Amino acid sequence: MKIKLLLTFTMISAMTNIYAQQKLNPEIEKKIDVLMSKMTIEEKVGQMNQYNGFWDVTGPAPVGGTAEQKYENIKKGLVGSMLTVRGVKEVKAVQKIAVEQTRLGIPLIIGFDVIHGYKTLSPIPLAEAASWDLKAIEKSAEVAASEAAASGINWTFGPMMDISRDARWGRVMEGAGEDPYLGGKIAVARVRGFQGDNTFASPLRIAATAKHFAAYGFVGSALEYNAAEIGTNTLYNQVLPPFKSAVDAGLRSVMTSFNTVNGIPASGDKYLLRDVLKNKWGFNGFVISDWASIREMIPWGYSKDENAAAKSAVEAGTDMDMEGGIYVPYLIDLVNQGKVKQEFVDDAVRRILRVKYELGLFDDPYRFLDEKREKEIIGSKTNRETVLDMAKKSIVLLKNDQNILPLKKSGQKIALLGSLAESKNSPLGSWRIASDNNTAVSVLEGLQQYKGNALNYVKGLELTKTEPTFLTEVEYNTTDKSGFEAAKKAAKEADVVIMVLGEHGFSSGEARTRTNLDLPGLQQEFLEEIYKVNPNIVLVLNNGRPLTISWAAEKIPAIVEAWQLGTETGNAVAQVLYGDYNPSGKLPMSFPRNLGQVPISYNHYSTGRFTNKDNNVFWSHYSDVDKTPLYPFGYGLSYTTFEYSNLKINKNSFAKGEKVEVTVNVKNTGKLTGKEVAQLYLHDEFASVVRPVKELKGFEMVELKAGETKTITFTLTDAELGFYNNQHEFVVEPGTFKIMVGGSSDAGLTSQFDIK
Ligand code: NOJ
């Protein structure tokens, strides 16, 4: 009877569990068994405790006390990890204590925010996403991993994979934008870049963290650290897919988020962490809280005190406490008093030790600590070449009337305006703790390398009152127009005016929500004043999020979205402006016409009154502005042009599980070689849960010489055709599917097929 029951149960789970579980290495598991059998409860909970290092701070005041107190606690075996300790010398100092002065010699795992590079900085992640170039993105993460690893770090708190449609939220700069399909592909590329083949055979690969689990990109009003109230449809079909893809790719850690998800703080959310992530998806790495987020369950009004916070977090499945100071002082007693089951602690410790074993830290705790390697790798020439390549690919050409771009190589008088043009700091972006200030190649320096034109740089407007820092608010200049006249004079005398405007690099990122997406400070006025004297303007935007630039989009002939592109910014911008690189980027987030449209995304639902068929007011629209975005998701121009034709599907009707093959011809109809990202969007016309009007389900980058045509094939499988219904089941439903193919989410060619 027992056997029969067991068999039935196994059969049912085999049938219903469509989720692949991450694989365990039996040898490592045995070693963990032996080690854990020797550990006291104090040592176990110690593994679950993470302290900040001694200088850089990335959150509220750290709780671990002085350096001496932290050293003492490491000696007692009460610390499993440190964050933001960096450099071979510094890491060795703490690792030595853990390995040589504790009873069991368990090594620390050293975490760090390697978000868009370590010392050599890549473009901000949102910019990288604009490249739609998965290989380049993987390579960029690999460079970041190698520099961090060479500096003694074994684990990054990235990639961030929070989907967001709200450009007010400062952290959109850290993600891949608004779309879960693109976001999922990029998440996997980044995990691979950091982790390599997941064996960590090379000491230049580090464990990655998917963050922030979950729904942080949907915080109410885009207010930082706020509540996220989010329905099943959005949670399962928009928020979770990139995390699931990353887990399937072998991801080793997950970070919780600061927000609540439908009323439960994410660090105490048993459903998300234990039921979905660990059990359903079979994730066997470990979960780290975000900074102090376990403790913050108290002010949230979820946990009545520290004991309650510790209990909720460990039971929910938060394995390590980042800077909350909650587990060590409370969890040990809770277990000793029988108030928290030992098995929760054991599960957490096993996961943490597993990743330490996988990283090879038990074989050689000093394997990441080689001063020679540190010197050779960090800032190397090849790393700079990689980030330059990434930077060029991240630039999006938004407008280019009368082919004002590319600039001629000689004989032009160019005026360069705006203090961002000379900034060597802002282009480094927001997350760059290990990098030195003022180390980017500025746009001015980049342009100066082209000697054929007369380049006249006049600042004209100082962007900020003082130079901002990672820890302070950016204060924009709202009063000083004293440079306007000199700038106007320079503009008048020029053939082309390049204006570098936008946000300071520290204007986006954590805790940088804005309630206004216009060009900050006096920049709009500056732009309009210059336009009056010479409208032949190339506007180069530096920003960490979509901005509202409707005036510029109407008046300014050329607009180049250049984000914050990292160390090689100026070289990348100059090569694009001069046509040595033909821009190929496409927007990973919609640009709204005005703030009232935000949150906005291309993959919205239809509504019952989607079009104005009766020509009266009772339809889904805004009274004062078109409901479409200014620039849609997936949009971006090139110095050449492309034409799509001959869209074909291999059959009209398919059985479930069959592959759908879509082909289309793309022709370069312009005069220059260029790259195009061909995109396929899908609409499931009728479903048990309404589906978005379109969803990206395939993209392919193709390089074409002038006049050349290539045929692209997209393959759609159940993974692309299905969706999660409100019972959280992934289903492919029979019916008609429409496809749209083209160079943006406004894709023009359409066709359809049926699933029987
Ligand atoms: C808080 C941020 O939300 C998180 O992304 C980061 O990794 C930690 N601080 C550590 O710096």
Side-chain angles (χ1 to χ4, degrees), residues 50 52 57-59 83-84 112-113 115 157-158 160 171 174 211-212 216 224-225 255-258 289-291 322 431 433 470 510:
Q50 185 189 56
N52 192 52
V57 172
T58 58
L83 80 145
T84 321
F112 198 89
D113 287 289
I115 307 298
F157 305 132
M160 183 184 108
R171 300 199 81 165
E174 281 179 68
K211 68 186 189 184
H212 304 82
Y216 190 22
E224 191 61 296
Y225 316 126
M255 185 184 289
T256 64
S257 52
F258 288 122
S289 77
D290 203 345
W291 182 291
M322 177 193 288
W431 275 112
I433 320 168
F470 183 60
E510 185 178 347

Short mmCIF file of all heavy atoms in Angstrom, two decimals, residues 50 52 57-59 83-84 112-113 115 157-158 160 171 174 211-212 216 224-225 255-258 289-291 322 431 433 470 510, ligand 1:
data_model
loop_
_atom_site.label_atom_id
_atom_site.label_comp_id
_atom_site.label_asym_id
_atom_site.label_seq_id
_atom_site.Cartn_x
_atom_site.Cartn_y
_atom_site.Cartn_z
N GLN A 50 26.07 38.44 7.54
CA GLN A 50 26.97 39.19 6.66
C GLN A 50 27.16 40.61 7.18
O GLN A 50 26.20 41.31 7.47
CB GLN A 50 26.40 39.26 5.24
CG GLN A 50 27.37 39.91 4.27
CD GLN A 50 26.74 40.18 2.91
OE1 GLN A 50 25.72 40.84 2.81
NE2 GLN A 50 27.36 39.69 1.85
N ASN A 52 29.07 44.46 6.61
CA ASN A 52 29.69 45.36 5.65
C ASN A 52 31.17 45.50 5.98
O ASN A 52 31.59 45.25 7.11
CB ASN A 52 29.01 46.74 5.76
CG ASN A 52 29.38 47.65 4.60
OD1 ASN A 52 29.27 47.26 3.45
ND2 ASN A 52 29.86 48.83 4.91
N VAL A 57 29.96 52.48 2.17
CA VAL A 57 28.66 52.11 2.72
C VAL A 57 27.62 52.28 1.63
O VAL A 57 27.58 53.30 0.96
CB VAL A 57 28.34 53.02 3.94
CG1 VAL A 57 26.91 52.77 4.41
CG2 VAL A 57 29.30 52.73 5.07
N THR A 58 26.76 51.28 1.47
CA THR A 58 25.76 51.36 0.40
C THR A 58 24.34 51.32 0.97
O THR A 58 23.41 50.91 0.29
CB THR A 58 25.96 50.20 -0.60
OG1 THR A 58 25.87 48.96 0.11
CG2 THR A 58 27.31 50.26 -1.29
N GLY A 59 24.19 51.72 2.21
CA GLY A 59 22.86 51.73 2.83
C GLY A 59 22.92 52.53 4.12
O GLY A 59 23.91 53.20 4.39
N LEU A 83 30.55 42.09 2.86
CA LEU A 83 30.36 42.76 1.59
C LEU A 83 31.19 44.02 1.55
O LEU A 83 31.50 44.59 2.61
CB LEU A 83 28.88 43.09 1.32
CG LEU A 83 28.22 44.31 1.95
CD1 LEU A 83 27.21 44.90 1.00
CD2 LEU A 83 27.55 43.94 3.24
N THR A 84 31.55 44.40 0.35
CA THR A 84 32.24 45.65 0.12
C THR A 84 33.60 45.71 0.84
O THR A 84 34.04 46.78 1.25
CB THR A 84 31.33 46.86 0.46
OG1 THR A 84 30.01 46.54 0.02
CG2 THR A 84 31.73 48.10 -0.28
N PHE A 112 30.05 41.82 -3.40
CA PHE A 112 30.28 43.21 -3.82
C PHE A 112 29.27 43.57 -4.91
O PHE A 112 28.86 42.72 -5.69
CB PHE A 112 31.71 43.34 -4.39
CG PHE A 112 32.22 44.75 -4.45
CD1 PHE A 112 32.89 45.31 -3.36
CD2 PHE A 112 32.05 45.53 -5.58
CE1 PHE A 112 33.37 46.61 -3.41
CE2 PHE A 112 32.53 46.84 -5.63
CZ PHE A 112 33.19 47.38 -4.54
N ASP A 113 28.91 44.84 -4.97
CA ASP A 113 28.02 45.29 -6.05
C ASP A 113 28.80 45.55 -7.33
O ASP A 113 29.23 46.67 -7.59
CB ASP A 113 27.30 46.58 -5.62
CG ASP A 113 26.24 46.33 -4.57
OD1 ASP A 113 25.21 45.75 -4.92
OD2 ASP A 113 26.47 46.71 -3.40
N ILE A 115 28.08 45.99 -10.65
CA ILE A 115 26.81 46.20 -11.37
C ILE A 115 27.05 46.49 -12.84
O ILE A 115 26.39 45.95 -13.71
CB ILE A 115 25.99 47.33 -10.71
CG1 ILE A 115 25.82 47.07 -9.21
CG2 ILE A 115 24.64 47.51 -11.41
CD1 ILE A 115 25.08 45.81 -8.85
N PHE A 157 26.53 41.11 -6.40
CA PHE A 157 25.09 41.34 -6.20
C PHE A 157 24.48 41.82 -7.51
O PHE A 157 24.01 42.95 -7.63
CB PHE A 157 24.85 42.35 -5.08
CG PHE A 157 25.50 41.97 -3.78
CD1 PHE A 157 26.26 42.89 -3.07
CD2 PHE A 157 25.37 40.69 -3.28
CE1 PHE A 157 26.87 42.54 -1.89
CE2 PHE A 157 25.98 40.33 -2.08
CZ PHE A 157 26.73 41.26 -1.39
N GLY A 158 24.54 41.03 -8.49
CA GLY A 158 23.99 41.36 -9.78
C GLY A 158 23.87 40.07 -10.57
O GLY A 158 24.49 39.06 -10.21
N MET A 160 20.76 42.79 -11.68
CA MET A 160 19.41 43.19 -11.29
C MET A 160 18.50 42.87 -12.46
O MET A 160 18.84 43.18 -13.60
CB MET A 160 19.35 44.68 -10.97
CG MET A 160 17.95 45.06 -10.50
SD MET A 160 17.70 46.79 -10.20
CE MET A 160 16.66 47.20 -11.59
N ARG A 171 16.04 53.19 -10.16
CA ARG A 171 16.77 51.94 -10.37
C ARG A 171 16.51 51.32 -11.74
O ARG A 171 17.07 50.27 -12.03
CB ARG A 171 16.47 50.96 -9.24
CG ARG A 171 16.88 51.54 -7.90
CD ARG A 171 17.05 50.50 -6.83
NE ARG A 171 18.34 49.85 -6.93
CZ ARG A 171 18.87 49.10 -5.95
NH1 ARG A 171 18.21 48.90 -4.83
NH2 ARG A 171 20.05 48.54 -6.11
N GLU A 174 19.56 50.21 -13.53
CA GLU A 174 20.29 48.98 -13.17
C GLU A 174 19.74 47.74 -13.85
O GLU A 174 20.29 46.66 -13.68
CB GLU A 174 20.16 48.75 -11.66
CG GLU A 174 21.07 49.57 -10.83
CD GLU A 174 20.83 49.27 -9.36
OE1 GLU A 174 21.13 48.15 -8.91
OE2 GLU A 174 20.33 50.16 -8.65
N LYS A 211 18.53 39.83 -8.52
CA LYS A 211 17.84 40.69 -7.57
C LYS A 211 16.90 41.61 -8.33
O LYS A 211 17.06 41.79 -9.54
CB LYS A 211 18.86 41.49 -6.74
CG LYS A 211 19.65 42.55 -7.51
CD LYS A 211 20.72 43.17 -6.62
CE LYS A 211 21.38 44.36 -7.29
NZ LYS A 211 22.48 44.90 -6.50
N HIS A 212 15.90 42.13 -7.66
CA HIS A 212 15.54 41.96 -6.25
C HIS A 212 14.24 41.18 -6.24
O HIS A 212 13.28 41.59 -6.90
CB HIS A 212 15.35 43.31 -5.55
CG HIS A 212 16.56 44.19 -5.66
ND1 HIS A 212 16.83 44.96 -6.77
CD2 HIS A 212 17.59 44.42 -4.81
CE1 HIS A 212 17.97 45.63 -6.58
NE2 HIS A 212 18.44 45.33 -5.41
N TYR A 216 10.19 44.59 -7.16
CA TYR A 216 10.73 45.89 -6.72
C TYR A 216 10.50 46.96 -7.80
O TYR A 216 10.31 48.14 -7.50
CB TYR A 216 12.22 45.68 -6.45
CG TYR A 216 13.00 46.77 -5.77
CD1 TYR A 216 12.42 47.74 -4.98
CD2 TYR A 216 14.40 46.79 -5.91
CE1 TYR A 216 13.19 48.70 -4.35
CE2 TYR A 216 15.17 47.74 -5.28
CZ TYR A 216 14.57 48.70 -4.50
OH TYR A 216 15.34 49.64 -3.89
N GLU A 224 10.85 54.90 -3.73
CA GLU A 224 11.85 53.91 -3.32
C GLU A 224 11.45 53.20 -2.03
O GLU A 224 10.87 53.81 -1.12
CB GLU A 224 13.19 54.64 -3.15
CG GLU A 224 14.37 53.73 -2.96
CD GLU A 224 14.63 52.78 -4.13
OE1 GLU A 224 13.77 51.93 -4.40
OE2 GLU A 224 15.70 52.90 -4.76
N TYR A 225 11.72 51.92 -1.96
CA TYR A 225 11.48 51.07 -0.79
C TYR A 225 9.99 50.91 -0.45
O TYR A 225 9.64 50.49 0.64
CB TYR A 225 12.23 51.58 0.46
CG TYR A 225 13.66 52.01 0.21
CD1 TYR A 225 14.11 53.28 0.58
CD2 TYR A 225 14.56 51.15 -0.40
CE1 TYR A 225 15.43 53.67 0.34
CE2 TYR A 225 15.87 51.53 -0.64
CZ TYR A 225 16.30 52.80 -0.27
OH TYR A 225 17.59 53.18 -0.51
N MET A 255 18.76 37.76 -4.23
CA MET A 255 18.59 38.77 -3.17
C MET A 255 17.12 39.16 -3.06
O MET A 255 16.45 39.36 -4.07
CB MET A 255 19.42 40.02 -3.48
CG MET A 255 19.40 41.06 -2.37
SD MET A 255 20.30 42.58 -2.81
CE MET A 255 21.98 42.00 -2.79
N THR A 256 16.65 39.26 -1.84
CA THR A 256 15.26 39.70 -1.63
C THR A 256 15.17 41.19 -1.93
O THR A 256 16.17 41.86 -2.11
CB THR A 256 14.80 39.44 -0.19
OG1 THR A 256 15.60 40.26 0.69
CG2 THR A 256 14.96 37.98 0.20
N SER A 257 13.94 41.70 -1.92
CA SER A 257 13.78 43.13 -2.19
C SER A 257 13.29 43.85 -0.93
O SER A 257 12.82 43.22 0.01
CB SER A 257 12.82 43.34 -3.35
OG SER A 257 11.62 42.64 -3.16
N PHE A 258 13.39 45.16 -0.97
CA PHE A 258 12.99 45.96 0.20
C PHE A 258 11.47 46.07 0.33
O PHE A 258 10.95 46.32 1.41
CB PHE A 258 13.53 47.39 0.04
CG PHE A 258 15.01 47.53 0.22
CD1 PHE A 258 15.80 48.06 -0.80
CD2 PHE A 258 15.62 47.17 1.41
CE1 PHE A 258 17.17 48.22 -0.63
CE2 PHE A 258 16.99 47.33 1.58
CZ PHE A 258 17.76 47.86 0.56
N SER A 289 19.34 38.55 2.12
CA SER A 289 18.39 39.66 2.26
C SER A 289 19.00 40.87 1.58
O SER A 289 20.21 40.90 1.33
CB SER A 289 18.19 39.99 3.74
OG SER A 289 19.30 40.73 4.24
N ASP A 290 18.20 41.88 1.27
CA ASP A 290 18.83 43.15 0.92
C ASP A 290 19.24 43.82 2.24
O ASP A 290 18.86 43.37 3.33
CB ASP A 290 17.90 44.03 0.08
CG ASP A 290 18.71 45.05 -0.74
OD1 ASP A 290 19.90 45.26 -0.43
OD2 ASP A 290 18.16 45.65 -1.68
N TRP A 291 19.98 44.87 2.11
CA TRP A 291 20.60 45.55 3.25
C TRP A 291 19.57 45.87 4.34
O TRP A 291 18.68 46.69 4.11
CB TRP A 291 21.27 46.82 2.73
CG TRP A 291 22.01 47.66 3.72
CD1 TRP A 291 21.47 48.40 4.73
CD2 TRP A 291 23.43 47.89 3.78
NE1 TRP A 291 22.45 49.06 5.41
CE2 TRP A 291 23.67 48.76 4.85
CE3 TRP A 291 24.51 47.43 3.04
CZ2 TRP A 291 24.95 49.21 5.19
CZ3 TRP A 291 25.78 47.88 3.37
CH2 TRP A 291 25.99 48.75 4.44
N MET A 322 21.92 40.39 5.39
CA MET A 322 22.87 41.44 5.04
C MET A 322 22.65 42.64 5.96
O MET A 322 21.59 43.28 5.91
CB MET A 322 22.68 41.89 3.58
CG MET A 322 23.58 43.05 3.17
SD MET A 322 23.14 43.84 1.60
CE MET A 322 23.62 42.63 0.42
N TRP A 431 26.60 53.06 -10.03
CA TRP A 431 27.23 52.01 -9.23
C TRP A 431 28.68 51.88 -9.67
O TRP A 431 28.97 51.21 -10.65
CB TRP A 431 26.55 50.67 -9.47
CG TRP A 431 25.35 50.41 -8.63
CD1 TRP A 431 24.07 50.33 -9.09
CD2 TRP A 431 25.29 50.16 -7.23
NE1 TRP A 431 23.23 50.05 -8.04
CE2 TRP A 431 23.95 49.94 -6.89
CE3 TRP A 431 26.25 50.10 -6.21
CZ2 TRP A 431 23.54 49.67 -5.59
CZ3 TRP A 431 25.84 49.84 -4.92
CH2 TRP A 431 24.50 49.63 -4.61
N ILE A 433 31.60 51.84 -7.13
CA ILE A 433 32.31 52.02 -5.86
C ILE A 433 33.80 51.73 -5.99
O ILE A 433 34.61 52.37 -5.35
CB ILE A 433 31.74 51.09 -4.77
CG1 ILE A 433 30.23 51.01 -4.88
CG2 ILE A 433 32.17 51.53 -3.39
CD1 ILE A 433 29.64 49.90 -4.05
N PHE A 470 27.90 59.54 -4.44
CA PHE A 470 27.03 58.37 -4.31
C PHE A 470 26.05 58.51 -3.14
O PHE A 470 24.96 57.94 -3.16
CB PHE A 470 27.94 57.14 -4.11
CG PHE A 470 27.22 55.83 -4.02
CD1 PHE A 470 26.43 55.38 -5.06
CD2 PHE A 470 27.34 55.03 -2.89
CE1 PHE A 470 25.76 54.16 -4.98
CE2 PHE A 470 26.67 53.81 -2.80
CZ PHE A 470 25.88 53.38 -3.85
N GLU A 510 19.86 53.68 -6.90
CA GLU A 510 19.05 53.49 -5.69
C GLU A 510 18.73 54.83 -5.02
O GLU A 510 19.58 55.71 -4.92
CB GLU A 510 19.81 52.59 -4.70
CG GLU A 510 18.97 52.28 -3.48
CD GLU A 510 19.66 51.35 -2.49
OE1 GLU A 510 20.68 50.73 -2.85
OE2 GLU A 510 19.16 51.24 -1.36
C1 NOJ B 1 20.99 47.83 -1.33
C2 NOJ B 1 20.61 47.55 -2.76
O1 NOJ B 1 19.21 47.52 -2.90
C3 NOJ B 1 21.19 46.26 -3.29
O2 NOJ B 1 20.90 46.17 -4.66
C4 NOJ B 1 22.66 46.20 -3.02
O3 NOJ B 1 23.20 45.02 -3.55
C5 NOJ B 1 22.88 46.29 -1.53
N1 NOJ B 1 22.37 47.56 -1.03
C6 NOJ B 1 24.35 46.15 -1.15
O4 NOJ B 1 25.03 47.26 -1.54
#
